[in-house]
């Protein structure tokens, strides 16, 4: 089989030429770039979130085909037990040859394999391995481009849908604002009408009260009933004789020094001034 070192001397020479300060992150990025991945196609997208349509497992031991495709051991065994064609090429290449590839060999093992070989064989093996690796990286690049294109199309659709929804939301907001303004105008008109109705109710109440009062007065006049004259509070005079003569005046024809109206027909006269004094003297004598 073909033995390939994914961490060759040329890569380390390149890293040293770039500087001694290369860090762990750079080493990891370089290993990730150099690694080969399984090309087995999947019917459904993977659940790892990257949307890949192939297995994509980083390979340490794999099976390579004569059509420059490589698969992990699990998928290679499942496929080539039932079919001799490449799962990617299918009828394009027909039956393909499959070899096992080990990518964990050290430099010493590689050197031992190449020691004693003529330069033409060494150059052929190196060019074959380089061509295989470059085809794998070109395939990875094409898949990444397709994935980016799909993501770009999804992003474009999302942006268009977002703009459409923003336009619909803007139109809805304008419609709601117009409805709110109309409701405010209706509310103002209803408040003005309510204020007028309240004033009309107050005016009608006042008119009803006046009509009720006039109705009561009309009933009183029709029944011959007058409003009772408020009684004056009787004040008791300091002079008993004044009270006495006030009482006498209220009696017809019984006052002192007054002739009866039936005998002479003259009007009543006031009692003489000395009448009060004689009455007081009699009261003292008693």
């Amino acid at each position: 089989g073909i033995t390939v070192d994914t961490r060759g001397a040329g890569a380390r020479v390149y890293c040293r030429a770039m500087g001694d300060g290369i860090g762990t992150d750079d080493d990891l990025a370089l290993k990730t770039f150099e690694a080969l991945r399984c090309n087995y196609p999947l019917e459904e997208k993977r659940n790892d979130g990257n949307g890949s349509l192939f297995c994509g497992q980083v390979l340490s031991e794999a099976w390579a085909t004569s059509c420059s495709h490589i698969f992990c051991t699990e998928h290679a065994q499942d496929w080539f037990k039932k079919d001799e064609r490449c799962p990617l090429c299918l009828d394009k290449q027909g039956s393909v040859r499959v070899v096992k590839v080990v990518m964990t060999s050290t430099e010493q093992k590689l050197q031992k394999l190449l020691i004693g070989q003529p330069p033409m064989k060494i150059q052929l093996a190196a060019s074959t391995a380089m061509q295989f690796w470059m085809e794998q990286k070109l395939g990875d690049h094409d898949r990444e481009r397709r994935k980016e294109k799909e993501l770009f199309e999804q992003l474009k659709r999302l942006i268009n849908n977002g703009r459409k929804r923003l336009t619909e939301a803007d139109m809805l907001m304008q419609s709601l604002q117009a409805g709110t303004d109309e409701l405010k105008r209706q509310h103002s008109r209803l408040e003005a009408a309510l204020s007028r109705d309240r004033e009309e109710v107050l005016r009608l109440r006042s008119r009803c009260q006046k009509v009720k009062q006039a109705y009561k007065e009309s009933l009183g006049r029709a029944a011959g009933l007058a409003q009772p004259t408020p009684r004056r509070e009787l004040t008791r005079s300091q002079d008993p004789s004044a009270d006495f003569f006030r009482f006498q005046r209220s009696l017809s024809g019984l006052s002192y020094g007054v002739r009866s109206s039936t005998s002479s027909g003259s009007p009543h006269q006031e009692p003489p001034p000395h009448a009060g004094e004689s009455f007081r003297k009699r009261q003292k004598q008693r």
Side-chain angles (χ1 to χ4, degrees):
I2 302 174
T3 305
V4 180
D5 184 14
T6 60
R7 181 66 174 171
R12 286 203 300 274
V13 171
Y14 173 78
C15 294
R16 294 193 187 98
M18 296 298 294
D20 295 334
I22 188 168
T24 306
D25 294 339
D26 295 331
D27 290 338
L28 180 60
L30 183 59
K31 288 180 179 180
T32 302
F33 175 73
E34 291 177 347
L36 298 180
R37 299 176 180 274
C38 178
N39 302 153
Y40 189 80
L42 300 178
E43 296 180 357
E44 297 180 357
K45 290 187 178 182
R46 299 180 62 196
N47 296 324
D48 56 2
N50 59 8
S52 301
L53 293 175
F54 61 99
C55 175
Q57 180 181 354
V58 177
L59 302 174
S60 58
E61 292 184 359
W63 293 84
T65 63
S66 57
C67 56
S68 299
H69 291 130
I70 191 169
F71 307 100
C72 63
T73 303
E74 178 183 359
H75 286 137
Q77 290 178 354
D78 293 340
W79 177 264
F80 291 111
K81 283 180 180 180
K82 59 184 179 182
D83 201 331
E84 294 181 355
R85 298 174 300 171
C86 174
L88 290 175
C89 299
L90 294 177
D91 295 335
K92 294 180 181 180
Q93 297 291 336
S95 299
V96 294
R97 291 179 290 108
V98 183
V99 295
K100 186 175 182 180
V101 179
V102 179
M103 289 166 283
T104 57
S105 300
T106 62
E107 293 182 5
Q108 294 178 356
K109 289 183 179 181
L110 292 175
Q111 291 174 1
K112 288 180 180 180
L113 290 174
L114 295 176
I115 290 176
Q117 299 294 331
M120 294 298 295
K121 290 185 178 181
I122 296 174
Q123 185 178 2
L124 178 62
S127 62
T128 303
M130 180 63 69
Q131 184 179 0
F132 183 86
W133 183 86
M134 290 179 64
E135 288 180 357
Q136 289 297 314
K137 291 305 171 182
L138 286 175
D140 292 344
H141 177 68
D142 292 338
R143 284 188 289 268
E144 291 295 329
R145 286 189 60 184
R146 287 196 298 268
K147 184 171 67 175
E148 289 180 359
K149 186 176 180 180
E150 292 177 359
L151 292 175
F152 179 76
E153 293 296 331
Q154 292 179 3
L155 180 62
K156 188 177 179 180
R157 288 194 296 268
L158 289 175
I159 291 175
N160 292 333
N161 291 335
R163 288 177 178 175
K164 183 178 179 180
R165 291 187 178 182
L166 286 175
T167 303
E168 293 176 354
D170 190 15
M171 294 176 62
L172 180 60
M173 184 178 65
Q174 292 178 1
S175 176
L176 292 176
Q177 185 65 33
T180 302
D181 295 338
E182 180 63 24
L183 289 176
K184 287 181 179 180
R185 288 192 293 269
Q186 292 181 5
H187 183 263
S188 300
R189 289 195 296 268
L190 290 175
E191 282 188 344
L194 181 60
S195 178
R196 291 193 299 270
D197 292 343
R198 287 176 178 174
E199 293 178 357
E200 183 67 17
V201 168
L202 294 176
R203 187 179 64 80
L204 290 176
R205 284 181 179 177
S206 176
R207 186 175 178 182
C208 288
Q209 291 178 357
K210 292 179 180 179
V211 170
K212 286 182 180 180
Q213 185 66 25
Y215 178 71
K216 289 181 180 180
E217 292 177 358
S218 298
L219 288 179
R221 286 194 298 270
L225 298 177
Q227 292 292 335
T229 304
R231 292 185 176 183
R232 295 180 180 178
E233 185 179 357
L234 298 177
T235 57
R236 189 172 183 84
S237 177
Q238 298 293 334
D239 189 359
S241 60
D243 295 335
F244 175 75
F245 285 107
R246 189 179 296 110
F247 176 73
Q248 289 293 332
R249 283 196 301 271
S250 64
L251 299 177
S252 176
L254 299 178
S255 301
Y256 288 98
V258 180
R259 291 182 298 176
S260 174
S261 60
T262 57
S263 60
S264 61
S266 61
H268 298 291
Q269 298 180 358
E270 294 290 332
H274 61 275
E277 296 178 0
S278 60
F279 179 75
R280 284 194 294 272
K281 288 178 181 181
R282 288 196 296 273
Q283 291 289 336
K284 289 180 180 181
Q285 290 177 0
R286 293 178 183 177

